[in-house]
Amino acid sequence: MRWCASWDRQFRRIPLASTRFRAQRREGRMLVGMVVSNDAATLIDLADAADAAVSGGKAAPLARLLRSGWPVPPGFVVPVRAYADAVARLDPHRDPDAARALIERAELPSTLVAEISRELVRIGGPSGYVAVRSSATSEDGADAAAGQHDTFLGVRGADAVADAVRRCWASLWSERAVEYRRARATDIEPPATAVLVQRLIDAEVAGVMFTGTDIRIEASPGLGTNVVGGEVTPDSWLVSGGAIVDRRLGAKDRRTDRLHGQVVTRAIPDSGRFCLTDEMVSRLARLGREIEELFGGTRDIEWAIADDRIWLLQARPVTAALPPARSVGAGSLTGTPGSVGQAAGPVRVVRGPSDFVEVRPGDVLVCRTTEPAWTPLFGIVAAVVTEIGGLLSHAAIVAREQGIPAVLAVPDATTVLPEGAMVHVDGDTGRVTLTDER
């Protein structure tokens, strides 16, 4: 059943700012500080933010859903114009690190902070906590990769939101985002971003849904970051023709929630039970079909459930099809086929960013899970093997986008597979075979 709250009718616009600059010489170096002054840019109510060129690729589909009566958390958008003004005198292509640092230190005026404060009262709900999310013009489109820009959860207060806005702007020039654009030859035109601020949904259960011929749903208790980030092996369901044809119990040993004013991840005992009822799975699947019909194509949908209400947090196009379901053959190690194809190479165990320098072209990346910052590795390695994570996690989506084999949820892969040993990775069947223990 579609639902629309009274805030669906609110289309307020609030004066924002453009940017002027001041320069100082200190210790022989030119330091540029950005100060924002009143001008033509405006904050945009999310319900009125359907133009992706103005509000970015994450906000625009949500605005369309909201205007159509779907349950999307209320919010507002700091438009692309504000970012463009903020970087008008910078040359981030020349020195991305320096540009990022300057953007993070940009000064926003008290008038803007006051306007943000008033909007937070309108959208914040009982807790006052919000999510601040990048919404780049190139983001969440059919050709965009997952997880390239930043999101901040559990933000409260105008000063904290202003800081998160700056950090979202700066994330366009993170190493992972710059390397991704270079690899895809999309750095010819300067990137631009809006920032989406929405009420934070304190989810009891959250996850991801891919629509298509069949619908795949993955879920875990708490906020959805653990499912998206591959930090758990989620419960999963396959819905075909309106019926649940497959369900698999995950390993849900941690959850992320807003507790005592902070977003924290804590270990929990695995209940050994599914986190969604079949009735709720069917509700999600029906919702997915209707959203697919609205947009006219398959959708990668992030959602959250609180007090038995489903909230929609994302509705981007599916950028790479899921691998077909196949039976897993016998072998040394087996997991979930995450991205089709086969490859062989030496094992390179990576436990964190400090190990990135050891990765060589043609290695098989073996890790517990991956994060968005790991994206540049996917352009180097021959295949990916993770210990945890689902088909709809970051590692799986990026592997499919890059066209490299991936096998997920292989227990103890980082300890069972020796460093440097040759392995064959079969992303079609989920087999990882040790071929030469050198």
Side-chain angles (χ1 to χ4, degrees), residues 332-346:
S332 301
L333 295 173
T334 58
T336 301
S339 179
V340 298
Q342 301 185 28

Side-chain angles (χ1 to χ4, degrees), residues 35-234:
V35 184
V36 181
S37 60
N38 290 333
D39 199 3
T42 60
L43 295 182
I44 304 171
D45 187 287
L46 177 57
D48 203 23
D51 185 350
V54 175
S55 302
K58 188 179 297 296
L62 292 175
R64 186 173 176 184
L65 287 169
L66 184 52
R67 294 290 293 270
S68 299
W70 298 99
V72 176
F76 62 89
V77 174
V78 183
V80 169
R81 166 68 186 276
Y83 168 80
D85 288 345
V87 301
R89 296 274 298 274
L90 297 179
D91 186 3
H93 283 280
R94 179 173 296 178
D95 190 344
D97 291 339
R100 186 170 67 250
L102 287 168
I103 294 168
E104 287 176 344
R105 295 198 301 269
E107 297 180 26
L108 276 66
S110 59
T111 52
L112 173 58
V113 175
E115 296 294 348
I116 290 175
S117 180
R118 285 192 284 272
E119 282 297 281
L120 292 176
V121 172
R122 180 178 68 85
I123 72 167
S127 73
Y129 288 92
V130 296
V132 183
R133 312 168 72 191
S134 64
S135 182
T137 52
S138 60
E139 195 165 11
D140 286 1
D143 298 320
Q148 294 311 299
H149 308 125
D150 286 346
T151 288
F152 302 95
L153 302 179
V155 184
R156 190 180 192 187
D159 289 336
V161 169
D163 181 60
V165 167
R166 290 188 292 263
R167 291 163 71 187
C168 284
W169 287 347
S171 72
L172 258 69
W173 300 101
S174 67
E175 181 181 358
R176 71 175 183 263
V178 170
E179 289 302 317
Y180 171 77
R181 292 194 297 268
R182 286 175 179 166
R184 298 282 290 262
T186 57
D187 64 341
I188 299 173
E189 294 295 328
T193 190
V195 178
L196 170 61
V197 181
Q198 286 180 283
R199 179 188 301 172
L200 179 69
I201 301 301
D202 287 320
E204 296 147 13
V205 180
V208 184
M209 169 169 53
F210 271 34
T211 69
T213 303
D214 298 326
I215 292 179
R216 174 87 178 195
I217 297 170
E218 294 185 345
S220 189
L223 300 176
T225 52
N226 288 329
V227 177
V228 174
E231 293 291 340
V232 296
T233 301

Side-chain angles (χ1 to χ4, degrees), residues 56 71 83 86 114 156 177-178 189 206 240 260 270 273 358 374 380 425:
Y83 168 80
R156 190 180 192 187
V178 170
E189 294 295 328
S240 181
H260 309 300
D270 191 342
R273 299 191 299 270
E358 305 297 331
W374 297 40
I380 299 173
V425 178

